[in-house]
Amino acid sequence: MSFAFTLPTTSPVNFTTSFASSSAPSLPSATTTRRALLRDTLKRYKRLTPAEQYNNIPSLLSSISEYLPYLYTLDAYITSQDITPLTEFETEWRAVLSRRTVPTEPPRIRRKGLDYEICFATATLAYAHTLRARTFLANAIQAPPPTDNDATNTSVHLINQAKDQILTAASIFLYLQNRSTTRERGSSQPMPADVTTSIYNALWSLCLASATLLAVLKDDPYPSIVALQHDKNSKEWMYKAPAVPTRVRSLLFARLCMYSADMAGKAAAGVAATPGSGAELKSYCEDMAKTARAKACRFQAIDAEGRGELGEAIGWLVAGKEVLGMVVGGDGDKGKLGRGLDMLKKAREERKMEKVPMEALLGSDAGRMEEAMVLNELERKWRRINDSVNFHAVPSTSSLLAKLPTGRSMFPENQTWTPPKLSSSELSQLQMQAPNGGELDWVGADDSDDDIMAPPESSMPPGGFPRSQSTGYY
């Protein structure tokens, strides 16, 4: 449940041609060196296979974290007028969130001003944290199921780590949103969608929606049904049913899911309102909003079933599938899934999912299909009981959807990221060094064309919900 951002690449930049400092003579050259290292890391990351990219994310995070203190210190020196501008600073980044007019990669866009560099470099850090969250989710797929004597649940621990990474990304996007509203851009040209206030606000909303769903996921037993379906050799479902949440927790989960749906819907609207933004991100936000709303319906169904209202519970399940766009017909039928789910199952059989690398097990629809499968399993079970024992009437979905609760936030919405800066000891060292004191060795490192794409070892769709043949938590 995290979007798979494509990391941008950038052209070389030499800060010493644009800035000079008498108080810290080596700061521009040291910043140039750290940026060249980051640029080289991004180019090498792009050329890796998908499996290698996932393993390389910690190194990438380290490179960005080493560069940003120099960049933000340079920005602070400019603000305090300890830096003398020599020429107008320009930088060039690939706009990965902007609309593509051709099937090839989006072009690099050059703009003036240090703020353009700061926004792209800082957003890249947030993208990397989101990709790191996907790594934790992929590892959670393959974690072994906890035993009765196991004091720790590896899957839950990994999901918590993924949630923390998403929250860090949210705080970075909130910082960029606040910065973009208070700082004047150095260029009079229109900015790409990647560095607009509306996109930052949308990404912040999307991250909060994702983190909330992950918090629900770690206590949600029902997605394990999907994992059991993928493992034909597992017989665990015969003797170990999922632990059903209590009524109070079901209602709490429903409110958390509604909050996630609201935030994801806000993100989709923000992306749609941003000129030049790509359709891929908007589609993912819309899928997450549908998934979260359908989950809220499912938890309402669990609460109704716990009260003995099996007809109402079935109605909530049908309403959830209607939200997902998977229901054929109206309220009178039994809420059968459309052909989309059958096609998905057929595609999974053809791909032989047990042989697909774990990166390909991360879906691109924010868990929409998986939630539909869970709803379908519960409906099949409860309809069998209702048709043979209870005979409760199933209410209309329109009357139930009107009763959905309001959302409830779980995490603080004002948690903003603090830009890193060089320590006093590091600044003292730069103040004593002469400019260009061996710091520019990396400025031209790996200056070849970076449009070489990674070999298609496996598909890695953007964002989504873990899909697994494991009998673990999922």
Side-chain angles (χ1 to χ4, degrees):
M1 290 183 181
S2 58
F3 186 73
F5 290 97
T6 300
L7 295 183
T9 50
T10 181
S11 60
V13 164
N14 190 344
F15 288 92
T16 60
T17 62
S18 298
F19 305 107
S21 174
S22 57
S23 56
S26 294
L27 179 58
S29 60
T31 307
T32 302
T33 300
R34 270 56 182 196
R35 189 190 188 277
L37 288 168
L38 171 60
R39 176 176 178 268
D40 185 65
T41 302
L42 288 170
K43 286 163 63 85
R44 293 179 186 275
Y45 172 88
K46 182 177 180 179
R47 294 169 180 171
L48 297 175
T49 64
E52 293 171 332
Q53 285 180 343
Y54 272 68
N55 294 330
N56 192 251
I57 291 174
S59 174
L60 183 62
L61 281 168
S62 176
S63 296
I64 303 174
S65 299
E66 289 176 4
Y67 168 55
L68 289 182
Y70 287 86
L71 181 62
Y72 276 99
T73 301
L74 182 67
D75 181 55
Y77 267 59
I78 294 174
T79 303
S80 62
Q81 298 183 343
D82 287 338
I83 288 281
T84 302
L86 302 178
T87 59
E88 192 163 26
F89 180 78
E90 285 187 317
T91 185
E92 189 177 71
W93 286 82
R94 194 176 300 282
V96 294
L97 296 181
S98 298
R99 184 185 303 121
R100 302 185 186 185
T101 56
V102 292
T104 58
E105 285 191 292
R108 289 179 181 166
I109 299 179
R110 176 174 290 274
R111 291 292 182 267
K112 297 178 180 180
L114 187 65
D115 193 66
Y116 187 67
E117 170 75 14
I118 289 175
C119 287
F120 254 110
T122 307
T124 302
L125 176 64
Y127 301 159
H129 277 294
T130 303
L131 294 176
R132 183 64 170 153
R134 285 172 58 83
T135 305
F136 286 127
L137 285 174
N139 291 334
I141 297 172
Q142 307 203 347
T147 62
D148 294 337
N149 297 326
D150 190 3
T152 60
N153 189 325
T154 304
S155 297
V156 171
H157 177 66
L158 291 170
I159 292 173
N160 280 331
Q161 288 183 295
K163 177 194 65 181
D164 292 341
Q165 294 289 323
I166 294 292
L167 288 175
T168 299
S171 67
I172 295 173
F173 288 130
L174 180 59
Y175 165 79
L176 290 173
Q177 176 188 341
N178 294 336
R179 180 187 176 93
S180 63
T181 57
T182 57
R183 294 245 183 169
E184 292 185 4
R185 297 291 170 85
S187 175
S188 58
Q189 295 176 285
M191 289 292 178
D194 302 54
V195 292
T196 58
T197 304
S198 56
I199 278 291
Y200 292 144
N201 183 51
L203 293 176
W204 167 75
S205 300
L206 179 63
C207 285
L208 284 181
S210 300
T212 304
L213 278 189
L214 287 175
V216 173
L217 176 63
K218 70 183 180 65
D219 291 322
D220 184 1
Y222 286 96
S224 62
I225 297 175
V226 176
L228 295 177
Q229 284 185 334
H230 290 174
D231 189 354
K232 295 181 180 179
N233 298 321
S234 174
K235 298 294 186 283
E236 185 180 357
W237 58 273
M238 291 183 176
Y239 59 87
K240 187 178 181 181
V244 180
T246 62
R247 181 184 177 190
V248 174
R249 287 180 66 80
S250 294
L251 294 176
L252 173 61
F253 289 164
R255 293 192 63 189
L256 292 175
C257 289
M258 286 302 297
Y259 172 82
S260 181
D262 293 341
M263 295 302 286
K266 179 181 176 183
V271 175
T274 304
S277 60
E280 196 173 69
L281 178 60
K282 176 177 176 289
S283 176
Y284 181 80
C285 294
E286 290 173 342
D287 281 340
M288 177 167 286
K290 293 176 182 177
T291 300
R293 192 174 176 88
K295 283 181 181 290
C297 290
R298 172 160 61 86
F299 286 117
Q300 290 289 99
I302 294 171
D303 173 69
E305 193 269 343
R307 291 186 277 107
E309 299 292 338
L310 200 56
E312 180 183 340
I314 295 171
W316 277 115
L317 297 178
V318 177
K321 292 196 290 185
E322 186 176 292
V323 168
L324 294 176
M326 299 288 179
V327 174
V328 178
D331 294 331
D333 68 18
K334 294 188 177 182
K336 295 180 180 179
L337 289 181
R339 289 183 299 172
L341 184 55
D342 293 333
M343 293 173 63
L344 175 67
K345 290 180 178 179
K346 181 179 179 181
R348 285 174 171 173
E349 289 297 325
E350 292 174 351
R351 289 170 57 195
K352 296 181 180 179
M353 294 196 65
E354 65 274 9
K355 296 183 179 179
V356 176
M358 72 174 184
E359 291 79 15
L361 301 177
L362 298 176
S364 60
D365 56 4
R368 182 180 172 190
M369 282 295 181
E370 277 72 13
E371 183 60 29
M373 294 171 73
V374 174
L375 291 170
N376 198 45
E377 286 295 314
L378 282 176
E379 185 193 5
R380 182 184 306 167
K381 174 184 175 182
W382 290 350
R383 278 195 185 275
R384 186 168 59 247
I385 298 173
N386 192 51
D387 292 346
S388 59
V389 180
N390 291 354
F391 306 107
H392 289 176
V394 178
S396 66
T397 57
S398 57
S399 63
L400 293 176
L401 290 174
K403 298 178 182 178
L404 278 171
T406 57
R408 172 179 171 179
S409 63
M410 185 173 184
F411 306 108
E413 296 184 352
N414 59 350
Q415 193 72 38
T416 185
W417 178 73
T418 302
K421 292 190 175 118
L422 296 175
S423 64
S424 56
S425 60
E426 291 171 321
L427 276 174
S428 299
Q429 186 176 5
L430 290 176
Q431 290 167 355
M432 292 186 294
Q433 291 177 351
N436 302 341
E439 286 285 356
L440 294 177
D441 295 342
W442 273 85
V443 69
D446 192 12
D447 198 26
S448 58
D449 184 15
D450 70 333
D451 289 337
I452 302 175
M453 299 302 296
E457 172 191 302
S458 64
S459 62
M460 188 171 59
F465 188 97
R467 298 170 175 167
S468 173
Q469 71 278 10
S470 164
T471 58
Y473 185 79
Y474 294 97

